[in-house]
Amino acid sequence: MNSVLALAAKKKFQSKTDKSFINILTGYKSHQTYFDALMQGMMPFYHAFPELKALLTEQDGAVEDYIFYPYFYDSAALTFQSLRLLTQSLSAYAGKLTTFYPVTNHLYVQQQVKHCFAYYKNHPDEFKAELISLYEQVEQQLGACCSFLLLPDGCGQHSSRSELTTRFQLPADALELVLLKEFNLLTELIRQHPVLSPLYIRLPLHSATEKTAALLSGRLTIQQMAAARGVKHHTIEDHLIEMMIKDYPFDWQRFIRPAEVGEIRALYDKHAFERLKPYFENSSIDDYFKIKLAICLVIKGEYNGPEADS
């Protein structure tokens, strides 16, 4: 079995159906699927298998679990593409190449890379040091790493995946799992980096969610935004959860108090709840939207306050 798929299967909550699991792997665009992926630690597997139709009957029970940072599969892949394009662009600039074929034609990736290129073209030694530092951190956390061989030179030359399988003596499916881990960690390091952070690529919001996001600057309540949009308040709540999961920041304290998030974090740390009901029953919060928002904040690392007294 593909080891990426085996690890994803290991993370699946027993209470979740095979259909919801396949929805994550194929990248079904629904707010419930986003939240399911977040809750189960499966965001890095979201849309990893877009053509999957059914699960294999046999699953590798010996696969070792791994805790990923909460970034979507496509987000990490595009962020790595950004790093590749920046590396190629700076190499071409240093080599005085007047023309070159970029390793990616993704327009948004190219736009984001321009921000970093404008800085590093005058600080090439700094970029080299930063790149080495990134991979030293990857090696420290994951052991031997191989994605650096996918970084191109100015002409776009780089190792192929088949060459990596030979060099590191890995079967193709094991290599894909190694790269999944490396891309995920690199995304975390890049997102936190003071200069490289523009390389971090978020998944786009649904068009309806974008319209709700535009209303947030007006300091409207959820009910007021729902009235302005002509939708139910639950729809606005779904949009806010989507924004949180996809890393579009907003003032979450307008919708939940830090003490309430502390209550949920205390429960999250102590119990492996598969459903929301135990949070509802064991906290003072009587609103499932608040519970979901608090879980998002905890998993995404957006809440750094103390736990509430239990």
Side-chain angles (χ1 to χ4, degrees), residues 92 95-100:
K96 295 181 169 44
L97 299 179
T98 55
T99 59
F100 68 92

Side-chain angles (χ1 to χ4, degrees), residues 98-119:
T98 55
T99 59
F100 68 92
Y101 295 100
V103 291
T104 175
N105 291 316
H106 195 290
L107 293 179
Y108 187 70
V109 168
Q110 292 180 350
Q111 178 184 358
Q112 294 303 105
V113 167
K114 287 180 181 178
H115 297 284
C116 294
F117 178 79
Y119 175 81

Side-chain angles (χ1 to χ4, degrees), residues 163-223:
E163 289 171 335
L164 294 186
T165 59
T166 300
R167 175 166 178 167
F168 293 96
Q169 298 183 326
L170 292 170
D173 58 352
L175 173 66
E176 291 306 315
L177 181 56
V178 168
L179 292 177
L180 185 74
K181 293 177 180 179
E182 290 188 26
F183 293 171
N184 179 261
L185 176 54
L186 283 167
T187 301
E188 169 69 7
L189 297 174
I190 287 170
R191 180 175 179 262
Q192 305 296 337
H193 195 279
V195 181
L196 293 173
S197 57
L199 299 182
Y200 171 49
I201 308 295
R202 298 168 176 83
L203 290 192
L205 297 171
H206 291 192
S207 58
T209 305
E210 288 183 335
K211 294 176 182 178
T212 296
L215 295 175
L216 285 172
S217 61
R219 308 296 296 180
L220 302 178
T221 66
I222 289 177
Q223 289 72 18

Side-chain angles (χ1 to χ4, degrees), residues 3 56 71 128 195 235 254 281:
S3 57
L56 298 178
Y71 299 110
K128 181 178 179 180
V195 181
T235 300
R254 290 170 53 187
E281 293 176 339

Side-chain angles (χ1 to χ4, degrees), residues 43-294:
M43 287 177 62
F45 303 93
Y46 177 89
H47 200 224
F49 300 93
E51 304 300 323
L52 187 68
K53 301 299 181 183
L55 298 180
L56 298 178
T57 55
E58 294 184 3
Q59 297 180 358
D60 183 2
V63 64
E64 184 178 352
D65 200 2
Y66 180 81
I67 305 301
F68 290 93
Y69 292 98
Y71 299 110
F72 286 106
Y73 176 88
D74 289 337
S75 178
L78 288 173
T79 298
F80 184 68
Q81 285 293 79
S82 298
L83 182 63
R84 296 181 75 229
L85 181 57
L86 178 61
T87 303
Q88 181 190 20
S89 301
L90 290 170
S91 297
Y93 183 79
K96 295 181 169 44
L97 299 179
T98 55
T99 59
F100 68 92
Y101 295 100
V103 291
T104 175
N105 291 316
H106 195 290
L107 293 179
Y108 187 70
V109 168
Q110 292 180 350
Q111 178 184 358
Q112 294 303 105
V113 167
K114 287 180 181 178
H115 297 284
C116 294
F117 178 79
Y119 175 81
Y120 281 119
K121 71 177 183 179
N122 299 318
H123 305 84
D125 291 338
E126 185 175 339
F127 175 72
K128 181 178 179 180
E130 297 288 10
L131 192 60
I132 291 172
S133 176
L134 281 179
Y135 273 98
E136 284 179 343
Q137 292 177 76
V138 171
E139 190 170 22
Q140 288 171 3
Q141 294 195 41
L142 299 179
C145 55
C146 57
S147 63
F148 70 93
L149 292 170
L150 298 175
L151 298 176
D153 61 17
C155 296
Q157 299 298 313
H158 58 86
S159 298
S160 67
R161 274 170 158 78
S162 61
E163 289 171 335
L164 294 186
T165 59
T166 300
R167 175 166 178 167
F168 293 96
Q169 298 183 326
L170 292 170
D173 58 352
L175 173 66
E176 291 306 315
L177 181 56
V178 168
L179 292 177
L180 185 74
K181 293 177 180 179
E182 290 188 26
F183 293 171
N184 179 261
L185 176 54
L186 283 167
T187 301
E188 169 69 7
L189 297 174
I190 287 170
R191 180 175 179 262
Q192 305 296 337
H193 195 279
V195 181
L196 293 173
S197 57
L199 299 182
Y200 171 49
I201 308 295
R202 298 168 176 83
L203 290 192
L205 297 171
H206 291 192
S207 58
T209 305
E210 288 183 335
K211 294 176 182 178
T212 296
L215 295 175
L216 285 172
S217 61
R219 308 296 296 180
L220 302 178
T221 66
I222 289 177
Q223 289 72 18
Q224 289 170 332
M225 285 188 284
R229 292 286 319 284
V231 298
K232 296 180 179 179
H233 77 275
H234 293 299
T235 300
I236 302 298
E237 293 173 347
D238 285 342
H239 293 169
L240 295 175
I241 295 297
E242 180 190 347
M243 290 177 64
M244 182 61 65
I245 293 174
K246 291 183 177 179
D247 279 339
Y248 289 83
F250 60 89
D251 182 9
W252 53 266
Q253 293 190 52
R254 290 170 53 187
F255 308 104
I256 185 171
R257 293 183 292 106
E260 293 175 313
V261 183
E263 283 191 71
I264 298 303
R265 189 173 75 172
L267 293 170
Y268 184 84
D269 288 344
K270 294 177 181 177
H271 306 281
F273 292 139
E274 295 192 7
R275 300 180 182 273
L276 298 181
K277 187 177 180 181
Y279 293 99
F280 188 90
E281 293 176 339
N282 293 285
S283 73
S284 65
I285 305 173
D286 59 358
D287 184 329
Y288 276 102
F289 162 67
K290 284 188 175 184
I291 291 172
K292 291 177 72 172
L293 182 58

